[in-house]
Amino acid sequence: MAWALVSTIKDQLSSFIASEFSSIANVKGEVQKLESKFHIIQAMLNDAEKRQVKEEAVKLWLDKLKDVSYQVDDVLDEWNTAMIKEKIEKQQKDEEEKAETRAAKKRKVWLPVSIPNLFQHRVIAREIKELNEKLDEINKEREMFGFELSRAIEVVERPKTTSFVDVAKILGRDEVRKDLVSILLGEGNQKEERSPYVISLVGMGGIGKTTLAQLAYNEVKTHFDMKVWVCVSNSFNKYKIAMEILESIQYKSPNMTASQSSLESEILEFLESQSPNMTALQTLLETICRKVEGKKFFLVLDDVWNEDSTMWEPFKLALKCVANGSRILVTTRKTRVAEIMESVSIINLKELSKEDCWLVFSKIAFFDRDSNQREQLEGLGRQIVEKCKGLPLAAKTLGSLMRFKRSIQEWKSVLDSNLWQLEDAEIKSIFAPLLFSYYDLSSPLRRCFSFCAVFPKGYVFSIDELVFMWIAQGYIKSNANMEIEIMARDYFENLAIRSLFQDFEKDKDDGKIIRCKMHDIVHDVAQLMSKNECFTINSDINLGLDYKNARHLQLKILKEAQIPESIYSASNLRTLILVFQGDYNLSTLFQHFRCLRTLTLNFEYGDMLKELPDVVENFIHLRYLFLHKYDDNLPETICSRNYHKE
């Protein structure tokens, strides 16, 4: 991640040195010193990034380097913005003068192009000198770590057209799947029916709970009148879960008449306008009860963590009215969750057998290889599979990694890597295979991957939204032969074919991926690699964290909740994704964030953003603005910029 950032800074510094403005500003010498230091540091960053997982001192050193690099980036971007502004103003002035003097045919005196005023000269010179001094200290500190040199040029290649390998049918869970389907359909000698009838899939992260639930869901869905899938994740938000259930029932119910649909829309519209309190929750649950009463209902609650039985009680009562044969399927890592939800059947998923794990790995790793290559690499492959410890996610991810390694030496390098020697047992068994995939990425792709940690677990990514955000952050290296949006999509596909995304939804016309998700464990790795930079927080939860090094933040402000003052320290934010309910003074919030490249404003529950504050004119770095539920004009100060609204 740091490698790509430093690489971007180096390119900007080189352009600045080559321009006429460096001599005008009298900072050329300082900029050349910066470039030279970054060049030296970059050669050691590949080793530093790998060592940061085990060495806290290296992690702290990288944090210092990234902080200075971001500051340099901001200064150069501010300077470049001033240049562009000066150029535009001068062109406008020239146009006016031409119009005034054309008749008299007076001789025009031309001035040097785009020269900022003297004050800006002094500011830029002082800032660059201060940054040079900070980088001097960082450069001295790196000597104590003895980093290995690496001068490889990292390029993001276009993915092959035959990128995706379907492993859904080779999970090695045939018997478990049959048992689960049998229970869901009520076959065999079941215990006495109770409503709701709850089945729980329990197992560690990466064991395949969600995948198994998806297979069973698709196999039995025609046997139920109504089907709903809800991703619960860490926070058990009763109001949000109830809203998702009701929305899914409304839009997917096959027997709903037009009048019923209209009525339900009115109910949802009313509920969305209310605060998420107990009264609104009760109204939601009563509506759900009326909709599912007497119906054969199938509900999947995926990734449940909360062990508080009182959170589950309102749903259990609301769903007692369903018909016999209805089912609730829960996936969780905790046996306690299955118990408090009064599961009639608990299925504990165990690790895959060695042979089944090999099947998952080999189908991907040996995809499109001839029998001779397979024979040469199979022995090493089976040793690598031993390290997967029976986890399907690990086998799938490592298979995707080894698929692109052609030589025996490359396979041996993975097998002998010191990443397998991580001390923490859980990190070793779950994270190590994913860390291999992370470090095998080029540095630009690492930045794109780590950025995804700003979104919450279970988030459904819009590919267009994601790639535009990457572009706004400057993560996509320009190529004169290809449009930047096409390049950004290539970046996404490179991550997808390495099994770092899943649950793909494709466009029916052209087959392109339009939406997807990220596995929870993969998301954990993204968070690990972007620690202290990416945050997702709710205003009602006081995490007590320090946000001074935060660069990307998703903030959800519940209606009538206070904006946590602790986030005001995040003055270096480059991304702010604000999800909020109610009327807030955004001017007060925005005045703390002057470095934003990306700003997303998403009103929930029927509200509408009335006005965008004029303070946004200070966002001189802003590249991407997304407005959801906004019906007014933009302030004149930014009306010429690219933005998107719904």
Side-chain angles (χ1 to χ4, degrees):
M1 192 168 168
W3 194 99
L5 175 59
V6 169
S7 178
T8 301
I9 300 299
K10 277 180 53 190
D11 292 343
Q12 292 184 60
L13 291 171
S14 297
S15 298
F16 187 87
I17 292 169
S19 71
E20 61 185 285
F21 308 119
S22 61
S23 58
I24 294 170
N26 196 29
V27 294
K28 188 170 185 176
E30 293 292 330
V31 173
Q32 286 176 326
K33 290 178 185 177
L34 271 178
E35 185 194 33
S36 177
K37 291 166 191 171
F38 275 122
H39 186 79
I40 294 171
I41 290 173
Q42 186 183 27
M44 305 170 184
L45 285 182
N46 277 329
D47 185 39
E49 289 189 331
K50 290 179 181 178
R51 287 170 54 179
Q52 68 174 314
V53 179
K54 294 197 296 182
E55 301 178 43
E56 183 63 23
V58 174
K59 176 73 169 64
L60 294 173
W61 180 82
L62 279 173
D63 288 343
K64 290 181 185 178
L65 173 62
K66 285 188 285 187
D67 186 57
V68 171
S69 299
Y70 280 126
Q71 290 180 52
V72 172
D73 189 32
D74 288 338
V75 169
L76 294 177
D77 192 61
E78 185 175 346
W79 179 256
N80 187 53
T81 301
M83 297 299 103
I84 294 172
K85 184 177 179 181
E86 289 283 339
K87 187 172 183 179
I88 292 172
E89 290 176 352
K90 185 178 184 307
Q91 287 175 342
Q92 291 175 340
K93 185 177 180 180
D94 288 346
E95 292 287 333
E96 293 171 0
E97 290 182 358
K98 283 181 181 180
E100 292 174 359
T101 61
R102 188 175 292 114
K105 295 183 179 180
K106 292 182 179 180
R107 183 171 177 269
K108 188 169 183 59
V109 178
W110 290 89
L111 298 174
V113 180
S114 311
I115 306 177
N117 59 46
L118 184 60
F119 175 74
Q120 288 174 312
H121 291 176
R122 291 173 177 171
V123 170
I124 190 80
R126 184 180 69 249
E127 288 179 337
I128 290 182
K129 186 175 181 183
E130 289 174 356
L131 290 170
N132 242 323
E133 291 171 356
K134 290 182 180 180
L135 199 59
D136 274 337
E137 296 179 14
I138 293 171
N139 208 13
K140 290 177 182 177
E141 287 180 13
R142 56 97 183 162
E143 295 176 0
M144 72 177 72
F145 296 110
F147 294 127
E148 294 181 6
L149 293 176
S150 172
R151 300 186 180 277
I153 298 174
E154 301 194 272
V155 179
V156 179
E157 298 180 355
R158 297 205 71 182
K160 297 179 180 179
T161 54
T162 55
S163 299
F164 302 97
V165 183
D166 182 16
V167 295
K169 296 180 180 179
I170 57 165
L171 294 171
R173 302 286 191 195
D174 288 345
E175 291 302 316
V176 179
R177 181 185 57 78
K178 289 177 183 177
D179 290 343
L180 176 58
V181 169
S182 177
I183 296 172
L184 290 173
L185 296 179
E187 298 171 350
N189 295 322
Q190 297 294 336
K191 299 175 184 178
E192 184 179 347
E193 283 277 343
R194 68 171 69 167
S195 293
Y197 189 105
V198 182
I199 306 123
S200 287
L201 289 175
V202 182
M204 66 186 296
I207 202 72
K209 300 181 297 295
T210 299
T211 303
L212 181 58
Q214 287 170 335
L215 286 173
Y217 182 85
N218 291 327
E219 189 166 343
V220 305
K221 61 184 180 181
T222 57
H223 295 268
F224 293 89
D225 300 321
M226 293 180 178
K227 293 83 57 183
V228 175
W229 182 294
V230 178
C231 182
V232 179
S233 202
N234 295 47
S235 64
F236 196 100
N237 186 319
K238 292 184 287 187
Y239 186 86
K240 178 176 177 289
I241 292 170
M243 282 289 294
E244 287 190 26
I245 291 173
L246 184 55
E247 287 176 344
S248 185
I249 289 172
Q250 176 187 340
Y251 296 118
K252 294 180 181 178
S253 179
N255 300 318
M256 182 178 291
T257 65
S259 60
Q260 287 174 321
S261 178
S262 176
L263 176 61
E264 292 303 326
S265 295
E266 291 176 10
I267 292 172
L268 280 172
E269 186 175 348
F270 167 74
L271 289 168
E272 287 178 340
S273 67
Q274 307 302 304
S275 301
N277 53 33
M278 286 307 298
T279 303
L281 175 63
Q282 188 60 35
T283 304
L284 273 171
L285 293 174
E286 289 173 358
T287 307
I288 291 171
C289 185
R290 288 197 301 271
K291 288 294 299 176
V292 302
E293 186 174 6
K295 300 289 196 310
K296 195 174 179 183
F297 182 55
F298 183 24
L299 171 65
V300 178
L301 297 175
D302 184 37
D303 195 27
V304 181
W305 288 71
N306 195 287
E307 299 180 19
D308 184 353
S309 61
T310 61
M311 301 288 280
W312 164 238
E313 193 68 23
F315 293 92
K316 184 173 69 173
L317 295 174
L319 296 174
K320 279 187 174 294
C321 57
V322 296
N324 281 346
S326 298
R327 296 289 185 267
I328 296 175
L329 177 59
V330 177
T331 72
T332 180
R333 300 186 194 182
K334 301 181 177 182
T335 302
R336 177 61 183 155
V337 170
E339 292 171 351
I340 67 103
M341 296 185 78
E342 299 180 4
S343 302
V344 179
S345 299
I346 298 177
I347 300 175
N348 288 289
L349 283 188
K350 304 299 183 183
E351 293 83 357
L352 292 179
S353 68
K354 290 182 181 179
E355 195 56 35
D356 286 332
C357 202
W358 168 253
L359 287 175
V360 175
F361 172 88
S362 62
K363 182 165 185 180
I364 306 176
F366 295 122
F367 180 78
D368 204 26
R369 292 184 194 255
D370 58 41
S371 57
N372 185 51
Q373 289 177 313
R374 181 184 178 111
E375 185 178 343
Q376 289 180 334
L377 297 171
E378 182 168 341
L380 291 170
R382 288 190 178 274
Q383 292 181 66
I384 291 172
V385 167
E386 289 275 350
K387 308 240 182 218
C388 294
K389 305 300 182 184
L391 295 179
L393 177 64
K396 181 180 176 183
T397 307
L398 276 176
S400 299
L401 169 68
M402 304 314 296
R403 177 184 168 192
F404 299 101
K405 296 191 177 298
R406 314 305 293 184
S407 70
I408 293 176
Q409 188 55 46
E410 287 178 305
W411 282 54
K412 284 183 177 178
S413 178
V414 170
L415 183 61
D416 298 335
S417 172
N418 58 10
L419 272 179
W420 297 115
Q421 300 169 13
L422 295 173
E423 295 178 2
D424 187 288
E426 183 177 4
I427 291 179
K428 181 176 179 179
S429 62
I430 299 176
F431 282 2
L434 297 172
L435 288 173
F436 276 112
S437 291
Y438 174 80
Y439 287 121
D440 192 63
L441 297 172
S442 64
S443 289
L445 286 176
R446 291 181 198 173
R447 296 186 81 188
C448 292
F449 169 75
S450 300
F451 176 81
C452 296
V454 73
F455 299 95
K457 287 185 177 181
Y459 183 80
V460 179
F461 292 92
S462 161
I463 308 308
D464 287 343
E465 175 190 29
L466 186 60
V467 300
F468 283 139
M469 287 186 175
W470 288 344
I471 292 170
Q473 295 300 321
Y475 294 167
I476 312 301
K477 283 189 170 290
S478 59
N479 185 328
N481 299 321
M482 190 183 303
E483 292 182 14
I484 194 165
E485 290 180 25
I486 296 175
M487 291 180 61
R489 191 165 186 98
D490 283 350
Y491 277 41
F492 166 77
E493 292 197 2
N494 265 286
L495 295 174
I497 63 178
R498 287 168 170 77
S499 299
L500 298 176
F501 290 102
Q502 63 181 33
D503 297 347
F504 301 112
E505 181 183 339
K506 297 184 179 181
D507 187 280
K508 294 180 180 178
D509 295 326
D510 59 18
K512 288 185 177 180
I513 298 170
I514 54 177
R515 277 178 286 275
C516 67
K517 289 184 180 180
M518 180 176 276
H519 192 284
D520 284 355
I521 306 297
V522 178
H523 188 274
D524 288 341
V525 173
Q527 286 183 316
L528 177 67
M529 305 317 297
S530 59
K531 187 178 180 181
N532 299 327
E533 286 197 24
C534 291
F535 294 91
T536 301
I537 61 174
N538 291 328
S539 60
D540 61 335
I541 300 176
N542 183 11
L543 300 177
L545 298 176
D546 182 1
Y547 299 108
K548 66 180 181 180
N549 291 323
R551 305 294 173 178
H552 312 288
L553 170 68
Q554 178 170 113
L555 172 64
K556 185 168 185 176
I557 309 175
L558 301 179
K559 199 166 188 176
E560 300 174 0
Q562 297 295 316
I563 297 176
E565 292 187 6
S566 57
I567 70 166
Y568 292 157
S569 64
S571 57
N572 297 312
L573 274 187
R574 292 178 162 229
T575 300
L576 176 60
I577 302 171
L578 188 60
V579 182
F580 57 119
Q581 308 153 8
D583 190 16
Y584 287 91
N585 186 347
L586 295 181
S587 295
T588 302
L589 178 65
F590 287 171
Q591 69 183 2
H592 295 275
F593 310 129
R594 301 296 182 92
C595 300
L596 289 179
R597 265 75 170 165
T598 296
L599 175 61
T600 294
L601 302 179
N602 190 344
F603 256 50
E604 282 195 340
Y605 306 124
D607 288 318
M608 179 75 74
L609 180 60
K610 299 174 182 177
E611 186 178 6
L612 198 62
D614 288 335
V615 72
V616 296
E617 70 182 57
N618 297 320
F619 297 161
I620 64 171
H621 306 285
L622 193 66
R623 268 90 163 165
Y624 179 82
L625 174 63
F626 180 91
L627 303 174
H628 179 66
K629 292 187 179 179
Y630 178 75
D631 203 27
D632 202 352
N633 294 322
L634 290 170
E636 291 186 5
T637 49
I638 65 166
C639 63
S640 60
R641 304 189 188 194
N642 291 329
Y643 74 98
H644 182 68
K645 70 175 182 176
E646 288 186 354

